[in-house]
Amino acid sequence: MSDATSSTRTGDDIQREQQLAAIRAGIDAIDAKLLKLINERSRLSLEVGRIKASGKSAVFKPQREEEILERLTAHNEGPLPPSALTAIWREIFSSSRSLQTPLRVAYLGPEGTFSYFAGVEYLGHSASFRPSTDIVQIFEDVQAGICDLGVVPLENSLQGTVGVSFDLFSRFPVSILAELYAPISHCLLSSSEHFSDIKTVYSHPQPLAQCAIWLRTHLPQASLVPVESTAAAARMVQNNPGTAAIGIGNLAEMLRLNVLARGIEDAKGNWTRFVIISRAGDQHKLGSLAQQKSRGDGSTKSSLLFTLADKPGALSAVLNLFAENQINMRKLESRPMTGQCWRYIFFVDVETDILQEQYSGVLDALKGLCTNLRILGSYPAGPQLDRMWDPDDTAQ
């Protein structure tokens, strides 16, 4: 049989095989060079880690990483797309950090939630991710030093702010080191292979609501069962024919489930803003960001908490101060103060590094206008993680 098969090979077949063999040999040679260069980079990273340790400097420096990505993207001539370049280098950053000091990262669990995949996409797989039962535990574990960083959902483009997250900033002395924006797109996941088999759908109440029209249209007879998370829902449908879960597409690969439908959310353009937090004492270790020249183009943000005297014009005075100094405000959120009825604390995002020397006068004036003022952090404006964390490109 093999002789008969080989006898049918044409000259074109042999030529293609020879061409492939030559190309693969070239790829192998490049891989060897890449391996050598990556290990050389790792040795330099270890040296950086030793210098940081002697000065008690932070391992995670998002502004430095964003500078590298910006430079590489500007010099990238292709055909490697920018999204792939960014994904590769984020994993290089992650492995470099782990060589220096493994980072423990708290996130809203269990493994497989949108918070988990947002953290992995931004911080890389080499970090040690630890699930938290709720957002309060994320703040508690970061403040206690159990975890070095926390991934906290702050607001959603369709449903507004995550109130508990804003409230916790006033309770815990933590800093914001970075932000990121993650797309929220839902898939129907199941161990069944056929759409018509689905009789029960599990998910967190929020995705069930976000997919309500789609579910009524395509699965009108199915029972909808709310559970604590999309990741928990996906685990419930493993080896459970006739059931499905709504969750992120990557859960299918993680749990060996079938994706029966993609992009089933009723409203597109759903994004969640996450922030990376650390203990407040770590903020001074960021170093270089406060010395950089702010471009005033939204590339840098600062977040502040403040309280005001209960008198007419108190808030407008703060807003006028920003306007007079050409500081663009991106967000203003008021939250009730714990234990003080009808008193409020304000959370503000501005598009500049407020810690720069040029704003020292603004800060002095702001302190005079506020009864209390706390700078949560100055950090690079977050990237949009526009990959859907889904191995199937059609998820876009």
Side-chain angles (χ1 to χ4, degrees):
M1 184 71 175
S2 60
D3 290 341
T5 302
S6 62
S7 65
T8 62
R9 295 173 64 213
T10 66
D12 288 342
D13 293 331
I14 296 172
Q15 185 179 15
R16 277 192 293 269
E17 290 175 3
Q18 291 173 341
Q19 289 173 337
L20 285 173
I23 293 171
R24 287 166 179 160
I27 290 174
D28 290 344
I30 292 172
D31 285 344
K33 292 178 182 178
L34 286 173
L35 179 60
K36 182 178 180 179
L37 289 171
I38 289 173
N39 277 311
E40 183 177 340
R41 189 188 195 281
S42 297
R43 282 188 287 271
L44 291 172
S45 182
L46 282 170
E47 185 62 26
V48 169
R50 282 189 285 269
I51 295 171
K52 285 181 180 179
S54 64
K56 297 184 179 180
S57 181
V59 170
F60 177 50
K61 293 204 169 186
Q63 72 281 1
R64 166 65 177 161
E65 295 180 3
E66 293 304 319
E67 288 170 2
I68 293 173
L69 289 174
E70 185 176 337
R71 185 181 69 250
L72 291 172
T73 301
H75 288 87
N76 180 28
E77 297 179 354
L80 185 71
S83 59
L85 183 149
T86 298
I88 291 168
W89 253 265
R90 287 206 187 279
E91 289 300 332
I92 290 175
F93 296 152
S94 183
S95 64
S96 295
R97 284 189 238 110
S98 67
L99 285 172
Q100 296 174 22
T101 301
L103 285 179
R104 302 159 299 176
V105 182
Y107 69 93
L108 188 59
E111 184 179 20
T113 60
F114 280 96
S115 292
Y116 168 77
F117 285 114
V120 170
E121 178 78 4
Y122 186 70
L123 295 170
H125 288 79
S126 295
S128 175
F129 289 90
R130 303 190 176 194
S132 300
T133 55
D134 53 34
I135 297 176
V136 177
Q137 188 185 355
I138 297 175
F139 279 77
E140 290 175 341
D141 287 352
V142 169
Q143 175 56 26
I146 296 172
C147 289
D148 305 293
L149 303 174
V151 181
V152 177
L154 200 60
E155 56 183 321
N156 179 265
S157 61
L158 297 181
Q159 296 170 323
T161 58
V162 181
V164 64
S165 296
F166 285 94
D167 294 339
L168 291 170
F169 279 108
S170 63
R171 287 178 48 191
F172 291 88
V174 299
S175 298
I176 297 176
L177 300 188
E179 69 171 0
L180 55 141
Y181 294 86
I184 306 299
S185 183
H186 299 299
C187 297
L188 189 71
L189 314 173
S190 180
S191 58
S192 298
E193 296 183 359
H194 302 293
F195 192 79
S196 57
D197 295 337
I198 305 306
K199 301 295 186 292
T200 305
V201 178
Y202 299 95
S203 195
H204 184 273
Q206 197 171 63
L208 287 174
Q210 291 173 348
C211 302
I213 297 175
W214 188 94
L215 289 168
R216 286 198 301 270
T217 302
H218 296 89
L219 292 171
Q221 304 304 318
S223 300
L224 308 182
V225 182
V227 295
E228 62 269 25
S229 71
T230 54
R235 286 176 172 83
M236 292 176 69
V237 305
Q238 282 183 294
N239 304 312
N240 191 3
T243 65
I246 295 175
I248 192 168
N250 274 31
L251 283 167
E253 183 179 29
M254 177 183 289
L255 302 178
R256 298 182 183 276
L257 295 170
N258 300 312
V259 180
L260 301 186
R262 302 179 185 276
I264 65 174
E265 61 276 7
D266 300 328
K268 306 302 178 184
N270 186 4
W271 291 77
T272 292
R273 178 191 179 196
F274 294 89
V275 290
I276 308 296
I277 64 170
S278 73
R279 285 189 294 183
D282 293 337
Q283 185 179 1
H284 73 280
K285 301 176 183 177
L286 289 175
S288 65
L289 185 58
Q291 282 84 48
Q292 293 175 7
K293 182 179 180 182
S294 178
R295 290 178 288 183
D297 59 357
S299 60
T300 304
K301 279 186 180 178
S302 297
S303 295
L304 305 88
L305 280 181
F306 59 86
T307 56
L308 298 168
D310 187 9
K311 63 180 183 179
L315 180 58
S316 65
V318 172
L319 303 184
N320 288 335
L321 179 65
F322 289 144
E324 290 165 1
N325 288 274
Q326 300 298 305
I327 297 174
N328 188 38
M329 186 173 63
R330 289 296 304 272
K331 183 173 184 63
L332 174 62
E333 179 83 11
S334 63
R335 299 294 302 171
M337 293 178 64
T338 304
Q340 300 188 46
C341 292
W342 322 123
R343 295 294 305 279
Y344 298 89
I345 189 167
F346 295 90
F347 180 104
V348 168
D349 287 334
V350 293
E351 280 187 339
T352 193
D353 178 3
I354 201 71
L355 295 175
Q356 287 189 91
E357 181 63 28
Q358 70 186 85
Y359 294 113
S360 59
V362 176
L363 282 180
D364 289 340
L366 195 56
K367 291 173 184 176
L369 294 173
C370 301
T371 54
N372 289 286
L373 172 66
R374 181 171 145 221
I375 301 173
L376 295 176
S378 291
Y379 47 90
Q384 291 191 348
L385 305 181
D386 50 9
R387 296 195 309 148
M388 305 302 289
W389 311 304
D390 193 318
D392 189 327
D393 290 338
T394 62
Q396 297 283 356

